[in-house]
Amino acid sequence: MFIRHETIEKNAILMLVLTLITISIGGIVEIIPNFTIETTIEPVKGVRPYSPLELMGRNIYIREGCYLCHSQQIRALKDEVERYGHYSLAAESQYDHPFQWGSKRIGPDLARVGGKYSNDWHYAHLIHPQALVPESLMPRYAFLAETPLETKILDKHLKANRTVGVPYTDEDIANAKKDLEAQANPEADTDFEATLKRYPKAIQVPGKPGEPTELDALVAYLQVLGTMADFSSVTPEQLNR
Amino acid sequence: MPTKIEKDAFSGRDTTGHEWDGLKELNTPLPKWWLWTFITTAVWAVIFCIFYPSVPGIHGYFKGVLGYSTRATVTADVAALAAQRSQVLDKIKDVPIAKVRQDPNLMAVANTAGRIAFANNCQPCHGAGGEGRPGYPALAADRWIWGGKLEDIQQTITYGIRSGHPEARQSQMLRFGVDGILKPEEIASVADFVSTLYGKAKPSPASAKGAAIFAENCVACHGDNGEGKREVGGPPLKGAVHLYGDTREAIIAQVTNPRMGVMPNWNARLDAATIKSLALYVHALGGGEN
């Protein structure tokens, strides 16, 4: 019924051919879908690349390992949609490199946390979570408020993202530092309007003028999560593919 | 290489027939149960691929004989849930909020819906029982900044406070210290006066000086005697709302460079019936006014 394993093991050419076939099948299954990846991204409007401040916040999110306790994917299940809102779309993480879907929920899902709480709340909560939610087992991140945000290679972060497919324009990269400062400081005499044009729905955070902290960046990132996609631009039928 | 399959005397199995420097190897094929399990899973995978969405193509993917879609399923599930709830929730939505309160059947549903929505959305700031936190007002106490009637609460939840929504409740305290409206020593005497309003300090010459400054700068929003003015969202100072602390230092800090909280407009996240239920729930926490 089957080719006896001796037959394969004793015939180098046959073994080579069969190995090649097996690896090819694996390769095809893994590689071919990448060529049609665009067909899996929904035509939802509004999803844009992260603003420089949000991008830096995202880096801190990754550095601190937030994904170990917080997921960023609302699954297409009734109870999840009830609690967290519209299920996550592929389009919503198309500019995430790497994506932050996570696989564990020790804390709540953060896919749509943007705008759910005030900026003040996020600051207070990240500095001392138990002051607001006594039963929380989240660690304190007070040090982020005292750590200046490293922006020396800010444009390189944007360029690196562009290399992997995020459509940052030359203008975006040239204005990266300005955009970051405008978003991190509502008091200063900066042109946040221009930043908003490049990055609609970006939320200004109350940082200290000229010295944005890592906490400012993280809050800006959290406040935009899940707010970009404009669900009125797609019908459920378009999504139910 | 000679191939001579022998029976191994010890295990009773065949050898592979090879011999390497006197070493012989037993021919041990995969156990039958393992092999058949493997074959079954492979066959199952093929069947699964026929019935469920699977193989990708150039223009999309093979959708499977059953036409199953997770997203279509969840859309239908959510719609079914909404239909099931709509019997009561639609009534809650359409009936004036005061009437809902008088109807025990509606109220039972509103209370449950409100409790769940509160735990999910309000608890992180206002506390599990609405007891409040520094910077976030208590809801279970009868100290209201914007009003504690059902309609007031509903309005606040719907549009939020300084949320950016055009209908949001809006109030702004001047930065008396930072913007140089009052001198630091004037602010200190105002703090001395304010402390007397809730018995933290006894009236003194300093507080008398503060009273005059208070009358000139603060009464427009906080009321003549610090009782608060709800129509402009001026928090009462007389009792104890004191979101940012009631020590002299805290008051000086607040007058110098005021902190002003933001509450999101929940109409962006919650439907009208849920907001109404929340208002009823919050109203019943202990501080509701009639």
Side-chain angles (χ1 to χ4, degrees), chain B residues 107-177:
Chain B
M107 197 52 202
V109 176
N111 233 330
T112 310
R115 180 168 50 80
I116 291 163
F118 190 90
N120 186 9
N121 299 293
C122 315
Q123 182 174 340
C125 293
H126 294 288
E131 69 274 22
R133 301 260 181 271
Y136 304 94
L139 306 174
D142 53 358
R143 298 277 173 196
W144 298 95
I145 298 173
W146 292 97
K149 294 199 174 70
L150 278 171
E151 291 79 7
D152 297 332
I153 299 171
Q154 190 186 358
Q155 166 92 4
T156 308
I157 298 172
T158 309
Y159 302 114
I161 299 164
R162 303 181 196 99
S163 62
H165 191 283
E167 305 274 323
R169 298 201 185 272
Q170 203 73 39
S171 74
Q172 198 174 16
M173 179 160 168
L174 295 174
R175 305 193 301 176
F176 287 96

Side-chain angles (χ1 to χ4, degrees), chain B:
Chain B
M1 199 159 26
T3 305
K4 209 173 115 231
I5 297 172
E6 309 166 8
K7 223 172 206 44
D8 175 57
F10 184 70
S11 65
R13 291 220 191 111
D14 286 346
T15 65
T16 56
H18 289 153
E19 193 183 321
W20 292 273
D21 297 338
L23 291 176
K24 290 172 187 172
E25 186 190 12
L26 282 180
N27 184 0
T28 314
L30 291 167
K32 280 280 181 295
W33 68 265
W34 193 96
L35 193 65
W36 280 107
T37 309
F38 175 70
I39 292 166
T40 313
T41 55
V43 172
W44 172 252
V46 173
I47 297 173
F48 193 91
C49 286
I50 294 169
F51 282 98
Y52 285 94
S54 50
V55 186
I58 307 292
H59 307 287
Y61 56 89
F62 175 62
K63 294 197 166 45
V65 176
L66 294 181
Y68 175 81
S69 149
T70 323
R71 290 179 170 185
T73 308
V74 74
T75 310
D77 283 355
V78 170
L81 194 67
Q84 186 196 349
R85 288 176 181 169
S86 68
Q87 295 181 354
V88 189
L89 284 189
D90 279 356
K91 246 186 238 159
I92 293 179
K93 194 172 77 188
D94 297 335
V95 173
I97 194 162
K99 284 257 169 63
V100 179
R101 196 158 159 247
Q102 287 155 11
D103 185 329
N105 291 329
L106 290 185
M107 197 52 202
V109 176
N111 233 330
T112 310
R115 180 168 50 80
I116 291 163
F118 190 90
N120 186 9
N121 299 293
C122 315
Q123 182 174 340
C125 293
H126 294 288
E131 69 274 22
R133 301 260 181 271
Y136 304 94
L139 306 174
D142 53 358
R143 298 277 173 196
W144 298 95
I145 298 173
W146 292 97
K149 294 199 174 70
L150 278 171
E151 291 79 7
D152 297 332
I153 299 171
Q154 190 186 358
Q155 166 92 4
T156 308
I157 298 172
T158 309
Y159 302 114
I161 299 164
R162 303 181 196 99
S163 62
H165 191 283
E167 305 274 323
R169 298 201 185 272
Q170 203 73 39
S171 74
Q172 198 174 16
M173 179 160 168
L174 295 174
R175 305 193 301 176
F176 287 96
V178 173
D179 291 343
I181 303 169
L182 294 178
K183 294 192 201 80
E185 58 271 23
E186 292 176 312
I187 292 173
S189 25
V190 167
D192 285 329
F193 171 69
V194 171
S195 303
T196 65
L197 289 175
Y198 48 90
K200 190 98 180 167
K202 291 216 167 77
S204 63
S207 76
K209 220 194 280 170
I213 301 165
F214 187 87
E216 214 164 288
N217 295 284
C218 314
V219 293
C221 295
H222 292 290
D224 290 340
N225 303 307
E227 69 277 10
K229 258 193 195 167
R230 288 180 179 179
E231 50 292 12
V232 292
L237 305 172
K238 213 170 178 172
V241 170
H242 301 288
L243 283 176
Y244 300 104
D246 62 1
T247 60
R248 187 166 179 270
E249 290 72 32
I251 292 165
I252 291 175
Q254 181 67 7
V255 178
T256 306
N257 191 9
R259 294 170 63 187
M260 285 168 278
V262 171
M263 171 161 162
N265 49 311
W266 290 95
N267 63 354
R269 246 170 221 275
L270 306 174
D271 59 68
T274 307
I275 290 180
K276 231 174 194 178
S277 306
L278 260 180
L280 286 157
Y281 176 77
V282 169
H283 187 266
L285 280 177
E289 295 171 348
N290 291 313

Side-chain angles (χ1 to χ4, degrees), chain A residues 133-231:
Chain A
V133 187
E135 64 274 25
S136 170
L137 34 79
M138 178 165 142
R140 299 179 189 184
Y141 290 93
F143 65 95
L144 294 178
E146 286 137 33
T147 316
L149 186 64
E150 178 60 73
T151 56
K152 245 183 264 164
I153 53 164
L154 179 64
D155 54 333
K156 290 205 173 114
H157 281 291
L158 271 74
K159 277 183 196 157
N161 271 275
R162 182 157 77 173
T163 311
V164 289
V166 182
Y168 284 117
T169 63
D170 289 338
E171 191 199 335
D172 293 342
I173 293 171
N175 286 301
K177 204 143 209 182
K178 247 194 260 169
D179 286 336
L180 184 139
E181 269 156 23
Q183 196 180 352
N185 179 20
E187 306 274 307
D189 190 19
T190 48
D191 190 5
F192 188 59
E193 292 297 310
T195 306
L196 264 184
K197 214 170 254 170
R198 276 188 282 280
Y199 307 102
K201 294 189 186 171
I203 301 285
Q204 267 185 315
V205 292
K208 262 194 221 143
E211 23 182 320
T213 63
E214 296 192 336
L215 191 57
D216 297 329
L218 186 57
V219 172
Y221 170 64
L222 291 172
Q223 286 291 45
V224 83
L225 283 182
T227 62
M228 291 184 199
D230 173 13
F231 284 98

